[in-house]
């Protein structure tokens, strides 16, 4: 016979899903003795590939890992929001390799130690979109003088020598007078 209606409240919760970021390995970044190199692991500037987030969230570096003392084990360097992490690198013979600074925005700079030539350890960095994490590697070429440009007959261009030319450019007995 008659339908009965009872009022009720209904709560609907819609959960937004987060797609994790995708960190992409960078390098090898070309290194030269006594010459710092820089780039950005998130944007890919300086010889890398850009990391991405499917949701277009802003990415930050939260930490990186690198073997700082040549023992084969990676140490973790924490990068605080808006800050930077610094690793001073040595090889197993306690020879200074150089230093690596990485900022939370992905900017990095590797400064080889004076006169150092040799391998640079692999760096594993972590990016976050604020919820999820992703990991990738940063590779450097070995610091090698052969990576530096050399001067030779093929790349020096024309050469002009002005010291004691033969025959002289302006012979002493040839003087022109103008009025």
């Amino acid at each position: 016979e008659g339908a009965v209606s009872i009022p009720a409240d209904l709560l609907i919760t819609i959960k937004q899903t987060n797609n994790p970021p995708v960190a992409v390995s960078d390098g090898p970044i070309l290194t030269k003795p006594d010459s710092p190199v820089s780039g950005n692991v998130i944007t890919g500037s300086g010889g890398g590939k850009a990391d991405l987030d499917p949701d277009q969230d802003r990415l930050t570096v939260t930490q990186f890992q690198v073997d700082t003392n040549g023992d084969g084990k990676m140490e973790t360097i924490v990068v605080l929001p808006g800050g930077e992490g610094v690793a001073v690198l040595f090889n197993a013979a306690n020879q200074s390799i150089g230093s690596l600074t990485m900022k939370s925005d992905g900017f990095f700079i590797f400064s080889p130690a004076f006169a150092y030539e040799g391998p640079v350890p692999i760096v594993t960095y972590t990016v976050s979109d604020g919820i999820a994490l992703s990991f990738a590697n940063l590779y450097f070429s070995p610091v090698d003088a052969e990576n530096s440009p050399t001067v030779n007959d093929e790349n020096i261009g024309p050469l002009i020598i002005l010291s004691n030319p033969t025959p002289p450019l302006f012979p002493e007995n040839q003087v022109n007078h103008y009025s």
Side-chain angles (χ1 to χ4, degrees):
E1 300 196 339
V4 177
S5 166
I6 301 175
D9 291 329
L10 177 62
L11 178 63
I12 299 175
T13 302
I14 300 174
K15 289 187 175 183
Q16 181 180 4
T17 60
N18 180 60
N19 296 302
V22 178
V24 181
S25 291
D26 299 276
I29 308 299
L30 184 65
T31 61
K32 300 176 201 169
D34 308 321
S35 297
V37 293
S38 62
N40 190 303
V41 294
I42 293 175
T43 65
S45 69
K49 297 179 182 137
D51 299 341
L52 58 100
D53 186 85
D55 303 323
Q56 303 300 314
D57 295 325
R58 191 180 84 126
L59 298 178
T60 59
V61 173
T62 59
Q63 68 180 23
F64 64 95
Q65 295 178 313
V66 63
D67 182 0
T68 61
N69 58 12
D71 66 357
K73 298 176 186 169
M74 295 183 121
E75 286 73 38
T76 299
I77 313 298
V78 175
V79 181
L80 297 174
E84 64 185 29
V86 178
V88 179
L89 309 174
F90 292 88
N91 62 19
N94 204 31
Q95 178 186 18
S96 179
I97 295 172
S99 65
L100 175 68
T101 301
M102 190 173 295
K103 295 185 175 189
S104 64
D105 65 2
F107 175 82
F108 69 86
I109 185 166
F110 169 67
S111 299
F114 178 74
Y116 174 76
E117 288 192 34
V120 179
I122 297 170
V123 179
T124 299
Y125 66 94
T126 305
V127 294
S128 172
D129 64 0
I131 298 171
L133 304 174
S134 186
F135 311 91
N137 292 325
L138 171 59
Y139 300 95
F140 294 94
S141 68
V143 179
D144 187 348
E146 297 210 5
N147 291 337
S148 300
T150 57
V151 176
N152 58 39
D153 291 339
E154 295 169 5
N155 66 11
I156 195 169
L159 184 62
I160 300 173
I161 299 174
L162 295 177
S163 176
N164 298 322
T166 305
L169 293 177
F170 304 103
E172 291 178 24
N173 60 358
Q174 181 184 0
V175 178
N176 293 323
H177 295 282
Y178 298 97
S179 320

